[in-house]
Amino acid sequence: MSDSILIVEDEIKLANLLMDYFKLTKYQPHQIHHGDEVIEWVKAHQPKAILLDIMLPGKDGIELCKEIRQFSNVPILMITARVDEIDRLLGLALGADDYICKPFSPREVVARVKAVLRRTQSTENTSTSLLLNEQQLLVSYREQEVSLTSVEFQLLKPLVTQPGRIFTREQLMDNMYSDQRIVSHRTIDSHIKKLRKKLTSISQDEDFIQSVYGAGYRLLFK
């Protein structure tokens, strides 16, 4: 994998601005303005991360994200012009690692990319740090373990199996309750609070579960 950051953005001035900021980092930015050129380039160069705008000529960002996920786990940060579109994107379960809404600060974008890269690299190095025992409803961390309720276990399971991915409360709810019951967001938040307390009891106060404002939750490895 190269140290390149692929910027897929049809607004050339914006793409150039992002290029200038990424040139100040250790990464090598490259920009593409047309969706039809993306897949071939990604396969040939294997970038470190991709900034992917949704609205593009040719293939749009949603279609591209789905295609890329068929052959690569490269971190993808989706860029949208509407904050209300983030909920729809999360519901599509595209497998993106983060979502950024225009207008944005280029410095914030660079920081978000770096954060995603740190998270994914940490996940690769410590992917087995949290171990689940479904038969006994246990979670263990560095030889310490704690028991969970059935609901807590089903809530934690998708977060552990796909660390770094943002799950909406609705997606977590569907995984927790097999009868498809409807519960409030406050109920999910209450279960998360209890789960966090149990995890910190075996991990020296490390907080594995991160709240993502307006989106949901994801699991981080420290």
Side-chain angles (χ1 to χ4, degrees), residues 96-162:
D97 296 87
D98 205 351
Y99 300 87
I100 301 172
C101 189
K102 297 177 181 178
F104 49 67
S105 158
R107 288 182 180 176
E108 178 195 358
V109 174
V110 171
R112 296 273 285 271
V113 169
K114 288 181 176 180
V116 167
L117 289 172
R118 283 195 304 270
R119 190 165 69 239
T120 54
Q121 288 163 3
S122 176
T123 297
E124 289 171 2
N125 295 333
T126 60
S127 59
T128 58
S129 292
L130 278 180
L131 300 176
L132 300 179
N133 183 327
E134 191 157 9
Q135 290 187 335
Q136 298 182 344
L137 298 180
L138 296 173
V139 58
S140 60
Y141 178 73
R142 295 179 181 174
E143 300 182 358
Q144 301 293 317
E145 64 181 28
V146 65
S147 61
L148 305 177
T149 67
S150 177
V151 167
E152 288 168 347
F153 191 92
Q154 295 305 323
L155 172 58
L156 181 60
K157 186 177 179 180
L159 295 170
V160 170
T161 54
Q162 299 185 66

Side-chain angles (χ1 to χ4, degrees), residues 175-191:
N175 202 72
M176 289 163 60
Y177 300 107
S178 58
D179 57 3
Q180 303 298 306
R181 74 181 70 177
I182 298 175
V183 298
S184 68
H185 285 186
R186 195 170 288 181
T187 300
I188 300 294
D189 295 341
S190 176
H191 284 304

